[in-house]
Amino acid sequence: GEAVRELEKSIRLDPEFAPGQAQLAIAIALSADDPSSYGDLTVAEINARAVPHAETAMRLNPELAEAWGAKSIIANANSDWPAAMEYATKALALNPVYTDALNWLQTSALQIGRYQEAEAAVNKLMEVDPLSVVGRINYLSNHLSQTDPDAARAAAMELVGQHQWAGYATLSRIAISQGEVSEALFWSLKSYAADPLDRWSNQFMVWRFCDLDMPQEALRVSDVTQVFAE
């Protein structure tokens, strides 16, 4: 969206600016047509548009953490989780407090069952940036909920005060991790009220309606998530 357009302006002004090339690749990759992302680009479109900028950033400065970060998020968009982890790890070797890379390492590791590495990454993210919204969503719902669900719920309630949608969405994920489907739907409805356009939490809500054998309610959520209710 707007970030991509502004970054495109920056590289028109200075095409040899490696951070601009890397950040443009990242912004394009984050525009995927996916509930956990922020746009409507297909994987093929991401590869066509983002890969050249990532490659340019690497050519200009192979020691730039964001260049490796760009390669990681592009691999993530392609569901190549081992590569995404490898590139995120290389980015972190250059910048150990690169929070985006810590998050991409964590989410990619979870996809292939490398739970210890995922937990180490999200713990480091929380150490580096304890106020990170995305970091707390992932830490509370993917990790703390497994070991101390009461503490996870309490922390998620605190998050509601900072960011309503994030807090409610996290409470929903914590509830489903404990097998509480109705409670998960309750919090999903609260997150929907806070941000009715968020596709990630809407998809989660569709699943909960389907769990409760309420397909017609699921179909009312949005056209984007309709396929999950059919």
Side-chain angles (χ1 to χ4, degrees), residues 52-83:
H53 296 295
E55 290 177 345
T56 298
M58 288 295 298
R59 174 180 60 78
L60 292 169
N61 186 358
E63 299 300 307
L64 178 68
E66 287 77 8
W68 290 102
K71 288 174 69 68
S72 177
I73 192 60
I74 291 169
N76 197 306
N78 282 270
S79 301
D80 188 348
W81 314 118

PDB file of all heavy atoms in Angstrom, residues 52-83:
ATOM      1  N   PRO A  52      13.624  -9.188  -7.024  1.00  0.00           N
ATOM      2  CA  PRO A  52      14.673  -8.328  -7.596  1.00  0.00           C
ATOM      3  C   PRO A  52      15.208  -7.290  -6.610  1.00  0.00           C
ATOM      4  O   PRO A  52      16.416  -7.008  -6.605  1.00  0.00           O
ATOM      5  CB  PRO A  52      13.960  -7.658  -8.783  1.00  0.00           C
ATOM      6  CG  PRO A  52      12.882  -8.616  -9.160  1.00  0.00           C
ATOM      7  CD  PRO A  52      12.402  -9.190  -7.868  1.00  0.00           C
ATOM      8  N   HIS A  53      14.349  -6.738  -5.776  1.00  0.00           N
ATOM      9  CA  HIS A  53      14.811  -5.743  -4.798  1.00  0.00           C
ATOM     10  C   HIS A  53      15.637  -6.402  -3.704  1.00  0.00           C
ATOM     11  O   HIS A  53      16.646  -5.829  -3.254  1.00  0.00           O
ATOM     12  CB  HIS A  53      13.615  -5.006  -4.196  1.00  0.00           C
ATOM     13  CG  HIS A  53      12.845  -4.206  -5.194  1.00  0.00           C
ATOM     14  ND1 HIS A  53      13.388  -3.112  -5.852  1.00  0.00           N
ATOM     15  CD2 HIS A  53      11.577  -4.343  -5.668  1.00  0.00           C
ATOM     16  CE1 HIS A  53      12.492  -2.607  -6.683  1.00  0.00           C
ATOM     17  NE2 HIS A  53      11.388  -3.334  -6.594  1.00  0.00           N
ATOM     18  N   ALA A  54      15.246  -7.598  -3.281  1.00  0.00           N
ATOM     19  CA  ALA A  54      16.044  -8.319  -2.286  1.00  0.00           C
ATOM     20  C   ALA A  54      17.416  -8.654  -2.842  1.00  0.00           C
ATOM     21  O   ALA A  54      18.442  -8.523  -2.155  1.00  0.00           O
ATOM     22  CB  ALA A  54      15.313  -9.589  -1.850  1.00  0.00           C
ATOM     23  N   GLU A  55      17.456  -9.087  -4.101  1.00  0.00           N
ATOM     24  CA  GLU A  55      18.732  -9.423  -4.723  1.00  0.00           C
ATOM     25  C   GLU A  55      19.612  -8.186  -4.886  1.00  0.00           C
ATOM     26  O   GLU A  55      20.836  -8.254  -4.695  1.00  0.00           O
ATOM     27  CB  GLU A  55      18.490 -10.092  -6.072  1.00  0.00           C
ATOM     28  CG  GLU A  55      17.891 -11.499  -5.943  1.00  0.00           C
ATOM     29  CD  GLU A  55      17.591 -12.139  -7.280  1.00  0.00           C
ATOM     30  OE1 GLU A  55      17.567 -11.391  -8.298  1.00  0.00           O
ATOM     31  OE2 GLU A  55      17.376 -13.364  -7.312  1.00  0.00           O
ATOM     32  N   THR A  56      18.988  -7.056  -5.213  1.00  0.00           N
ATOM     33  CA  THR A  56      19.750  -5.810  -5.342  1.00  0.00           C
ATOM     34  C   THR A  56      20.331  -5.414  -3.995  1.00  0.00           C
ATOM     35  O   THR A  56      21.501  -5.001  -3.899  1.00  0.00           O
ATOM     36  CB  THR A  56      18.860  -4.686  -5.891  1.00  0.00           C
ATOM     37  OG1 THR A  56      18.402  -5.040  -7.193  1.00  0.00           O
ATOM     38  CG2 THR A  56      19.621  -3.368  -5.961  1.00  0.00           C
ATOM     39  N   ALA A  57      19.532  -5.520  -2.943  1.00  0.00           N
ATOM     40  CA  ALA A  57      20.015  -5.190  -1.592  1.00  0.00           C
ATOM     41  C   ALA A  57      21.196  -6.074  -1.219  1.00  0.00           C
ATOM     42  O   ALA A  57      22.201  -5.596  -0.666  1.00  0.00           O
ATOM     43  CB  ALA A  57      18.891  -5.347  -0.583  1.00  0.00           C
ATOM     44  N   MET A  58      21.117  -7.382  -1.539  1.00  0.00           N
ATOM     45  CA  MET A  58      22.216  -8.287  -1.231  1.00  0.00           C
ATOM     46  C   MET A  58      23.467  -7.932  -2.019  1.00  0.00           C
ATOM     47  O   MET A  58      24.589  -8.002  -1.505  1.00  0.00           O
ATOM     48  CB  MET A  58      21.789  -9.726  -1.535  1.00  0.00           C
ATOM     49  CG  MET A  58      20.787 -10.305  -0.557  1.00  0.00           C
ATOM     50  SD  MET A  58      21.448 -10.498   1.118  1.00  0.00           S
ATOM     51  CE  MET A  58      22.778 -11.651   0.829  1.00  0.00           C
ATOM     52  N   ARG A  59      23.286  -7.547  -3.278  1.00  0.00           N
ATOM     53  CA  ARG A  59      24.443  -7.152  -4.097  1.00  0.00           C
ATOM     54  C   ARG A  59      25.103  -5.904  -3.546  1.00  0.00           C
ATOM     55  O   ARG A  59      26.337  -5.811  -3.488  1.00  0.00           O
ATOM     56  CB  ARG A  59      23.993  -6.921  -5.546  1.00  0.00           C
ATOM     57  CG  ARG A  59      25.090  -6.379  -6.455  1.00  0.00           C
ATOM     58  CD  ARG A  59      24.591  -6.168  -7.865  1.00  0.00           C
ATOM     59  NE  ARG A  59      23.484  -5.221  -7.944  1.00  0.00           N
ATOM     60  CZ  ARG A  59      23.614  -3.896  -7.893  1.00  0.00           C
ATOM     61  NH1 ARG A  59      24.820  -3.345  -7.747  1.00  0.00           N
ATOM     62  NH2 ARG A  59      22.559  -3.114  -8.002  1.00  0.00           N
ATOM     63  N   LEU A  60      24.271  -4.959  -3.105  1.00  0.00           N
ATOM     64  CA  LEU A  60      24.795  -3.689  -2.607  1.00  0.00           C
ATOM     65  C   LEU A  60      25.460  -3.830  -1.248  1.00  0.00           C
ATOM     66  O   LEU A  60      26.476  -3.184  -0.972  1.00  0.00           O
ATOM     67  CB  LEU A  60      23.667  -2.656  -2.527  1.00  0.00           C
ATOM     68  CG  LEU A  60      23.092  -2.185  -3.861  1.00  0.00           C
ATOM     69  CD1 LEU A  60      21.824  -1.374  -3.638  1.00  0.00           C
ATOM     70  CD2 LEU A  60      24.131  -1.345  -4.615  1.00  0.00           C
ATOM     71  N   ASN A  61      24.853  -4.678  -0.387  1.00  0.00           N
ATOM     72  CA  ASN A  61      25.402  -4.826   0.969  1.00  0.00           C
ATOM     73  C   ASN A  61      25.013  -6.178   1.555  1.00  0.00           C
ATOM     74  O   ASN A  61      23.991  -6.298   2.237  1.00  0.00           O
ATOM     75  CB  ASN A  61      24.906  -3.702   1.872  1.00  0.00           C
ATOM     76  CG  ASN A  61      25.556  -3.738   3.250  1.00  0.00           C
ATOM     77  OD1 ASN A  61      26.354  -4.633   3.543  1.00  0.00           O
ATOM     78  ND2 ASN A  61      25.211  -2.792   4.101  1.00  0.00           N
ATOM     79  N   PRO A  62      25.818  -7.209   1.316  1.00  0.00           N
ATOM     80  CA  PRO A  62      25.486  -8.539   1.842  1.00  0.00           C
ATOM     81  C   PRO A  62      25.587  -8.637   3.361  1.00  0.00           C
ATOM     82  O   PRO A  62      25.184  -9.648   3.942  1.00  0.00           O
ATOM     83  CB  PRO A  62      26.518  -9.449   1.153  1.00  0.00           C
ATOM     84  CG  PRO A  62      27.641  -8.546   0.788  1.00  0.00           C
ATOM     85  CD  PRO A  62      27.020  -7.215   0.478  1.00  0.00           C
ATOM     86  N   GLU A  63      26.101  -7.588   3.993  1.00  0.00           N
ATOM     87  CA  GLU A  63      26.188  -7.568   5.457  1.00  0.00           C
ATOM     88  C   GLU A  63      25.020  -6.803   6.080  1.00  0.00           C
ATOM     89  O   GLU A  63      25.041  -6.519   7.286  1.00  0.00           O
ATOM     90  CB  GLU A  63      27.507  -6.928   5.900  1.00  0.00           C
ATOM     91  CG  GLU A  63      28.742  -7.671   5.410  1.00  0.00           C
ATOM     92  CD  GLU A  63      28.776  -9.117   5.931  1.00  0.00           C
ATOM     93  OE1 GLU A  63      28.661  -9.291   7.159  1.00  0.00           O
ATOM     94  OE2 GLU A  63      28.876 -10.042   5.108  1.00  0.00           O
ATOM     95  N   LEU A  64      24.018  -6.490   5.287  1.00  0.00           N
ATOM     96  CA  LEU A  64      22.844  -5.765   5.773  1.00  0.00           C
ATOM     97  C   LEU A  64      21.824  -6.763   6.316  1.00  0.00           C
ATOM     98  O   LEU A  64      21.332  -7.622   5.577  1.00  0.00           O
ATOM     99  CB  LEU A  64      22.234  -4.933   4.642  1.00  0.00           C
ATOM    100  CG  LEU A  64      20.967  -4.136   4.975  1.00  0.00           C
ATOM    101  CD1 LEU A  64      21.282  -3.014   5.950  1.00  0.00           C
ATOM    102  CD2 LEU A  64      20.349  -3.583   3.694  1.00  0.00           C
ATOM    103  N   ALA A  65      21.481  -6.646   7.584  1.00  0.00           N
ATOM    104  CA  ALA A  65      20.542  -7.587   8.196  1.00  0.00           C
ATOM    105  C   ALA A  65      19.205  -7.583   7.483  1.00  0.00           C
ATOM    106  O   ALA A  65      18.583  -8.640   7.281  1.00  0.00           O
ATOM    107  CB  ALA A  65      20.358  -7.246   9.676  1.00  0.00           C
ATOM    108  N   GLU A  66      18.746  -6.402   7.064  1.00  0.00           N
ATOM    109  CA  GLU A  66      17.443  -6.310   6.410  1.00  0.00           C
ATOM    110  C   GLU A  66      17.430  -7.006   5.044  1.00  0.00           C
ATOM    111  O   GLU A  66      16.371  -7.437   4.580  1.00  0.00           O
ATOM    112  CB  GLU A  66      17.026  -4.847   6.266  1.00  0.00           C
ATOM    113  CG  GLU A  66      16.612  -4.190   7.569  1.00  0.00           C
ATOM    114  CD  GLU A  66      17.782  -3.797   8.454  1.00  0.00           C
ATOM    115  OE1 GLU A  66      18.947  -3.895   7.995  1.00  0.00           O
ATOM    116  OE2 GLU A  66      17.554  -3.385   9.609  1.00  0.00           O
ATOM    117  N   ALA A  67      18.581  -7.108   4.391  1.00  0.00           N
ATOM    118  CA  ALA A  67      18.636  -7.842   3.124  1.00  0.00           C
ATOM    119  C   ALA A  67      18.335  -9.319   3.368  1.00  0.00           C
ATOM    120  O   ALA A  67      17.576  -9.949   2.618  1.00  0.00           O
ATOM    121  CB  ALA A  67      20.009  -7.662   2.471  1.00  0.00           C
ATOM    122  N   TRP A  68      18.914  -9.878   4.428  1.00  0.00           N
ATOM    123  CA  TRP A  68      18.612 -11.256   4.796  1.00  0.00           C
ATOM    124  C   TRP A  68      17.177 -11.372   5.318  1.00  0.00           C
ATOM    125  O   TRP A  68      16.501 -12.380   5.087  1.00  0.00           O
ATOM    126  CB  TRP A  68      19.605 -11.755   5.834  1.00  0.00           C
ATOM    127  CG  TRP A  68      20.970 -11.951   5.257  1.00  0.00           C
ATOM    128  CD1 TRP A  68      22.048 -11.125   5.395  1.00  0.00           C
ATOM    129  CD2 TRP A  68      21.395 -13.027   4.426  1.00  0.00           C
ATOM    130  NE1 TRP A  68      23.122 -11.616   4.699  1.00  0.00           N
ATOM    131  CE2 TRP A  68      22.749 -12.786   4.092  1.00  0.00           C
ATOM    132  CE3 TRP A  68      20.762 -14.171   3.921  1.00  0.00           C
ATOM    133  CZ2 TRP A  68      23.487 -13.655   3.289  1.00  0.00           C
ATOM    134  CZ3 TRP A  68      21.495 -15.040   3.116  1.00  0.00           C
ATOM    135  CH2 TRP A  68      22.838 -14.780   2.805  1.00  0.00           C
ATOM    136  N   GLY A  69      16.707 -10.323   5.998  1.00  0.00           N
ATOM    137  CA  GLY A  69      15.317 -10.315   6.443  1.00  0.00           C
ATOM    138  C   GLY A  69      14.360 -10.373   5.268  1.00  0.00           C
ATOM    139  O   GLY A  69      13.334 -11.060   5.314  1.00  0.00           O
ATOM    140  N   ALA A  70      14.696  -9.646   4.202  1.00  0.00           N
ATOM    141  CA  ALA A  70      13.857  -9.677   3.003  1.00  0.00           C
ATOM    142  C   ALA A  70      13.804 -11.083   2.418  1.00  0.00           C
ATOM    143  O   ALA A  70      12.734 -11.577   2.034  1.00  0.00           O
ATOM    144  CB  ALA A  70      14.395  -8.694   1.963  1.00  0.00           C
ATOM    145  N   LYS A  71      14.954 -11.756   2.376  1.00  0.00           N
ATOM    146  CA  LYS A  71      14.977 -13.122   1.865  1.00  0.00           C
ATOM    147  C   LYS A  71      14.146 -14.044   2.756  1.00  0.00           C
ATOM    148  O   LYS A  71      13.466 -14.956   2.270  1.00  0.00           O
ATOM    149  CB  LYS A  71      16.423 -13.620   1.772  1.00  0.00           C
ATOM    150  CG  LYS A  71      17.222 -12.964   0.645  1.00  0.00           C
ATOM    151  CD  LYS A  71      18.680 -13.373   0.681  1.00  0.00           C
ATOM    152  CE  LYS A  71      18.889 -14.829   0.322  1.00  0.00           C
ATOM    153  NZ  LYS A  71      18.595 -15.117  -1.084  1.00  0.00           N
ATOM    154  N   SER A  72      14.165 -13.786   4.057  1.00  0.00           N
ATOM    155  CA  SER A  72      13.397 -14.616   4.990  1.00  0.00           C
ATOM    156  C   SER A  72      11.899 -14.461   4.777  1.00  0.00           C
ATOM    157  O   SER A  72      11.163 -15.456   4.687  1.00  0.00           O
ATOM    158  CB  SER A  72      13.752 -14.250   6.435  1.00  0.00           C
ATOM    159  OG  SER A  72      12.974 -15.003   7.352  1.00  0.00           O
ATOM    160  N   ILE A  73      11.421 -13.224   4.673  1.00  0.00           N
ATOM    161  CA  ILE A  73       9.971 -13.027   4.553  1.00  0.00           C
ATOM    162  C   ILE A  73       9.480 -13.470   3.170  1.00  0.00           C
ATOM    163  O   ILE A  73       8.340 -13.939   3.028  1.00  0.00           O
ATOM    164  CB  ILE A  73       9.571 -11.565   4.865  1.00  0.00           C
ATOM    165  CG1 ILE A  73       8.063 -11.436   5.040  1.00  0.00           C
ATOM    166  CG2 ILE A  73      10.092 -10.602   3.833  1.00  0.00           C
ATOM    167  CD1 ILE A  73       7.468 -12.262   6.156  1.00  0.00           C
ATOM    168  N   ILE A  74      10.327 -13.376   2.146  1.00  0.00           N
ATOM    169  CA  ILE A  74       9.952 -13.910   0.824  1.00  0.00           C
ATOM    170  C   ILE A  74       9.848 -15.433   0.893  1.00  0.00           C
ATOM    171  O   ILE A  74       8.895 -16.028   0.365  1.00  0.00           O
ATOM    172  CB  ILE A  74      10.950 -13.461  -0.250  1.00  0.00           C
ATOM    173  CG1 ILE A  74      10.833 -11.950  -0.492  1.00  0.00           C
ATOM    174  CG2 ILE A  74      10.716 -14.224  -1.555  1.00  0.00           C
ATOM    175  CD1 ILE A  74      11.961 -11.368  -1.337  1.00  0.00           C
ATOM    176  N   ALA A  75      10.798 -16.087   1.545  1.00  0.00           N
ATOM    177  CA  ALA A  75      10.718 -17.542   1.721  1.00  0.00           C
ATOM    178  C   ALA A  75       9.474 -17.911   2.526  1.00  0.00           C
ATOM    179  O   ALA A  75       8.794 -18.904   2.233  1.00  0.00           O
ATOM    180  CB  ALA A  75      11.975 -18.052   2.427  1.00  0.00           C
ATOM    181  N   ASN A  76       9.164 -17.100   3.525  1.00  0.00           N
ATOM    182  CA  ASN A  76       7.956 -17.307   4.335  1.00  0.00           C
ATOM    183  C   ASN A  76       6.720 -17.253   3.450  1.00  0.00           C
ATOM    184  O   ASN A  76       5.827 -18.108   3.555  1.00  0.00           O
ATOM    185  CB  ASN A  76       7.911 -16.244   5.432  1.00  0.00           C
ATOM    186  CG  ASN A  76       6.958 -16.585   6.542  1.00  0.00           C
ATOM    187  OD1 ASN A  76       5.794 -16.856   6.304  1.00  0.00           O
ATOM    188  ND2 ASN A  76       7.454 -16.543   7.778  1.00  0.00           N
ATOM    189  N   ALA A  77       6.661 -16.263   2.558  1.00  0.00           N
ATOM    190  CA  ALA A  77       5.511 -16.135   1.657  1.00  0.00           C
ATOM    191  C   ALA A  77       5.379 -17.335   0.734  1.00  0.00           C
ATOM    192  O   ALA A  77       4.277 -17.686   0.304  1.00  0.00           O
ATOM    193  CB  ALA A  77       5.640 -14.851   0.832  1.00  0.00           C
ATOM    194  N   ASN A  78       6.516 -17.983   0.447  1.00  0.00           N
ATOM    195  CA  ASN A  78       6.523 -19.169  -0.410  1.00  0.00           C
ATOM    196  C   ASN A  78       6.361 -20.467   0.381  1.00  0.00           C
ATOM    197  O   ASN A  78       6.496 -21.559  -0.180  1.00  0.00           O
ATOM    198  CB  ASN A  78       7.826 -19.222  -1.211  1.00  0.00           C
ATOM    199  CG  ASN A  78       7.830 -18.278  -2.395  1.00  0.00           C
ATOM    200  OD1 ASN A  78       7.433 -18.646  -3.496  1.00  0.00           O
ATOM    201  ND2 ASN A  78       8.264 -17.038  -2.186  1.00  0.00           N
ATOM    202  N   SER A  79       6.079 -20.353   1.671  1.00  0.00           N
ATOM    203  CA  SER A  79       5.934 -21.508   2.570  1.00  0.00           C
ATOM    204  C   SER A  79       7.185 -22.372   2.616  1.00  0.00           C
ATOM    205  O   SER A  79       7.105 -23.574   2.874  1.00  0.00           O
ATOM    206  CB  SER A  79       4.727 -22.366   2.159  1.00  0.00           C
ATOM    207  OG  SER A  79       3.539 -21.597   2.197  1.00  0.00           O
ATOM    208  N   ASP A  80       8.343 -21.764   2.370  1.00  0.00           N
ATOM    209  CA  ASP A  80       9.617 -22.468   2.476  1.00  0.00           C
ATOM    210  C   ASP A  80      10.173 -22.176   3.869  1.00  0.00           C
ATOM    211  O   ASP A  80      11.053 -21.328   4.053  1.00  0.00           O
ATOM    212  CB  ASP A  80      10.581 -22.009   1.383  1.00  0.00           C
ATOM    213  CG  ASP A  80      11.857 -22.851   1.338  1.00  0.00           C
ATOM    214  OD1 ASP A  80      12.099 -23.639   2.274  1.00  0.00           O
ATOM    215  OD2 ASP A  80      12.626 -22.705   0.364  1.00  0.00           O
ATOM    216  N   TRP A  81       9.629 -22.871   4.853  1.00  0.00           N
ATOM    217  CA  TRP A  81       9.926 -22.544   6.252  1.00  0.00           C
ATOM    218  C   TRP A  81      11.391 -22.759   6.626  1.00  0.00           C
ATOM    219  O   TRP A  81      11.969 -21.903   7.327  1.00  0.00           O
ATOM    220  CB  TRP A  81       9.009 -23.341   7.174  1.00  0.00           C
ATOM    221  CG  TRP A  81       7.577 -23.337   6.743  1.00  0.00           C
ATOM    222  CD1 TRP A  81       6.818 -24.419   6.387  1.00  0.00           C
ATOM    223  CD2 TRP A  81       6.708 -22.201   6.596  1.00  0.00           C
ATOM    224  NE1 TRP A  81       5.551 -24.035   6.026  1.00  0.00           N
ATOM    225  CE2 TRP A  81       5.457 -22.686   6.142  1.00  0.00           C
ATOM    226  CE3 TRP A  81       6.867 -20.841   6.794  1.00  0.00           C
ATOM    227  CZ2 TRP A  81       4.371 -21.847   5.894  1.00  0.00           C
ATOM    228  CZ3 TRP A  81       5.784 -19.996   6.539  1.00  0.00           C
ATOM    229  CH2 TRP A  81       4.564 -20.496   6.095  1.00  0.00           C
ATOM    230  N   PRO A  82      12.044 -23.856   6.193  1.00  0.00           N
ATOM    231  CA  PRO A  82      13.469 -23.997   6.537  1.00  0.00           C
ATOM    232  C   PRO A  82      14.321 -22.850   5.999  1.00  0.00           C
ATOM    233  O   PRO A  82      15.210 -22.353   6.696  1.00  0.00           O
ATOM    234  CB  PRO A  82      13.850 -25.342   5.903  1.00  0.00           C
ATOM    235  CG  PRO A  82      12.561 -26.102   5.849  1.00  0.00           C
ATOM    236  CD  PRO A  82      11.514 -25.068   5.530  1.00  0.00           C
ATOM    237  N   ALA A  83      14.052 -22.429   4.758  1.00  0.00           N
ATOM    238  CA  ALA A  83      14.812 -21.315   4.195  1.00  0.00           C
ATOM    239  C   ALA A  83      14.516 -20.027   4.952  1.00  0.00           C
ATOM    240  O   ALA A  83      15.425 -19.231   5.213  1.00  0.00           O
ATOM    241  CB  ALA A  83      14.486 -21.148   2.710  1.00  0.00           C
TER     242      ALA A  83
END
